[in-house]
Every structure is written in structure tokens, then in C-alpha cells.
Amino acid sequence: MTSVFIDGAAGTTGLEIADRLAGRQEFSLLQLDEARRKDASARREALNAADFVILCLPDDAAREAVAMIDNDRTRVIDASTAHRVTPGWVYGFPEVVGHGTVAEAMRVSNPGCYSTGFIALVAPLVRDGLLPADWPYSCHAVSGYSGGGKSLIERFKADPDIAWRGYALSLGHKHVPEMQARCGLTVAPLFSPAVVPAHRGMVVEVPLPLGAMSGAAPVDELRAALADFYAASPIVVMGDAPADGEMLLRASDQGDDRIALFVFANTDGSQARLVARLDNLGKGASGACVQNLNIMAGLPETAGLRL
């Protein structure tokens, strides 16, 4: 079996990855007990013993872990922000960068949850010249509180009066660099994230004033281009417009590793809303790690996913 070591397995993302891999016959998990989990020598040994390492750590700790690997065999998937725009690392969004690129990589950086929605919507359209690369895009998003890890989960549970939590108010969210770089944008997007009192789930929206955008394609072309780009994907799918004109984020959708894309517009096509709906711990984190691990290990990409 292929050995996997999850460094940071006690965190929200790491726990879910471990749970997803526990019943898989293709993988064996290398695990450190609680007493050795933070011991540097024990971690170094495990990091170098594993065929694959998945890092679920803060950025500085992720960089430290990579530096501990002193062989040319161990392959790494980093779920942190540390390497998402680092040269030499492959961005782990196979539908956008190419499955073959991920399959051959030694170092893969897992995308951010919000970034996954934004990039899924914008990158193919900019790449095909259907949206301008020099437009100052805005992105509004809401996420369940599990995306903030244990501390935010505890805060929401302790204070049920929180109905909405806006943050990154100084516009310095850590996902912005990858959003700009992976979409080939000349201007950093203005990103407005928020958290709502739901355990998991996420909606990411990009409003488009098409009538004011030079070089933007009509709405029907944008929708058709996204459908064509992801036509072969079992994970990135086009959603149907709700018959009642209302989009809901339901608790029953939790755990699904798909991401659904929507294109809405007004009657004359002068304005549009690109919307992505996903599970922040599914395609937004743990599910994407498992998908990338499958591809790198030469297995079907959907093995062990929840579709």
C-alpha cells in the first residue's frame, strides 16, 4: 500500500482527510501518538518515511515541514496558504491546471476554499478572452464556520447570537494572491468574505457589470464556455437556475465534494452574477486533498469522494 502521513492531523481539515482515507485499501496511514505529534524528530522521521505527506498546518509550520524532507521520493500536498503562488509548486486544481500536471508533481499546493469558487468561475473565461484580465473584479462570499478551524467553531457554538461575521475588512485576505495569479489578472480582486452560523458550506459570487466591461462576452457565451470547459468533470458541474428564483445553502448539502457553478443575468444581459456553491471542507479543502492524492497516486480521481 501507499503510505500517507498527515502532518497536522488533529485539525479540522486533517481529521476529515484521515477519516476519508481510513477505510481505503490503497493507503496506509502513518500516525504519531499524542505524545510524539509535536516532537520534531518524530515528525522528521514520518515526513521522510511516507510516500505522500499532506500538510494541514499553519503557513510557517508547513514551510518548516517541507524543509525537513531530505529525500527526493516523498511527495507533498500542502493544504496551507504557504506555497499557493510559490514557483516550483503545482496548484492543486486539476480541472484548471490539467490532471497530468498534478499527476506528475512532487509538490502540490491545495487551493483555498474561497479561491476554488472564484478561480473555477473566472479563470476559464479570462483564459479564453471572454472576460478582460485587467478588470477590477469584486468577489463576495459566505462560508460555514468550520472553515475557520477549531477556534472559530468554538466561538460560534459559544455565542449563538452571531448571525453574520464579516472579516478581512482591511482587504488583506490571504487568498487574494492565488485568486489573482491563477486567473491571470492584472489587478487584485476586491474580496469580501463573511461567515454565517452554518457548520459548513460556501457560496462565492462574482458580480459582472457586463455593460461597462470592454471586451466582455455576452452572458450566453459565458455560460456556454463554462459548461464546455468542465463538461468532462464529475466534480465541477453546472447548476440549474432555481425555478423559484431563490438559491439556498442547505445543511443537507454538507459533505458533497462537487462544486456547482451558476450564471445569472438580468433581462438585457447588461449585468450578470457568477456564483459557485461548494462545501468548504469538500472541494474547498479535504475533498480536494483526497482528489489530488488520488491523481498523484495514479488512482481514479473520484475514489473515496462524496459525489
Side-chain angles (χ1 to χ4, degrees), residues 91 93 96 111-126 131-133 135-141 175-185 187-192 202-208 226 230 259-261 274-278:
Y91 194 64
F93 200 152
V96 173
C113 51
Y114 292 118
S115 312
T116 296
F118 181 83
I119 292 166
L121 293 165
V122 175
L125 301 178
V126 171
L131 288 179
W135 183 260
Y137 293 93
S138 294
C139 178
H140 308 284
H175 288 184
V176 171
E178 66 186 284
M179 293 162 72
Q180 179 178 3
R182 302 304 173 181
C183 292
L185 304 179
V187 180
L190 193 159
F191 179 42
S192 304
M202 172 174 286
V203 175
V204 180
E205 176 176 350
V206 183
L208 299 177
L226 288 174
Y230 295 113
I259 172 173
L261 308 183
L274 307 181
V275 180
R277 186 176 62 202
L278 65 154

Side-chain angles (χ1 to χ4, degrees), residues 4 17 40 43 74 80 86 98-99 103 142 177 188 195 207 243 245 256 294-295 298 304 306:
V4 179
I17 294 171
R43 287 179 58 225
T74 298
S80 82
T86 300
H99 287 66
V142 293
V195 181
D256 194 319
N294 286 335
I295 293 170
R306 302 164 181 171

Side-chain angles (χ1 to χ4, degrees), residues 133-277:
D134 59 356
W135 183 260
Y137 293 93
S138 294
C139 178
H140 308 284
V142 293
S143 173
Y145 50 75
S146 58
K150 291 182 177 179
S151 62
L152 191 60
I153 293 172
E154 292 172 0
R155 180 180 176 189
F156 266 82
K157 289 183 176 180
D159 187 355
D161 195 44
I162 300 175
W164 182 90
R165 172 184 177 264
Y167 69 109
L169 302 180
S170 61
L171 306 180
H173 195 281
K174 62 183 182 179
H175 288 184
V176 171
E178 66 186 284
M179 293 162 72
Q180 179 178 3
R182 302 304 173 181
C183 292
L185 304 179
T186 61
V187 180
L190 193 159
F191 179 42
S192 304
V195 181
V196 294
H199 183 255
R200 54 199 292 173
M202 172 174 286
V203 175
V204 180
E205 176 176 350
V206 183
L208 299 177
L210 294 174
M213 299 172 71
S214 176
V219 171
D220 288 346
E221 290 187 29
L222 300 181
R223 185 181 291 110
L226 288 174
D228 182 66
F229 188 85
Y230 295 113
S233 175
I235 297 170
V236 185
V237 299
M238 296 301 296
D240 297 324
D244 60 2
E246 182 178 88
M247 176 176 283
L248 300 177
L249 186 63
R250 292 187 176 277
S252 58
D253 293 332
Q254 295 179 3
D256 194 319
D257 288 322
R258 286 170 292 195
I259 172 173
L261 308 183
F262 303 83
V263 181
F264 304 113
N266 60 350
T267 54
D268 66 4
S270 61
Q271 296 179 328
R273 298 169 65 180
L274 307 181
V275 180
R277 186 176 62 202

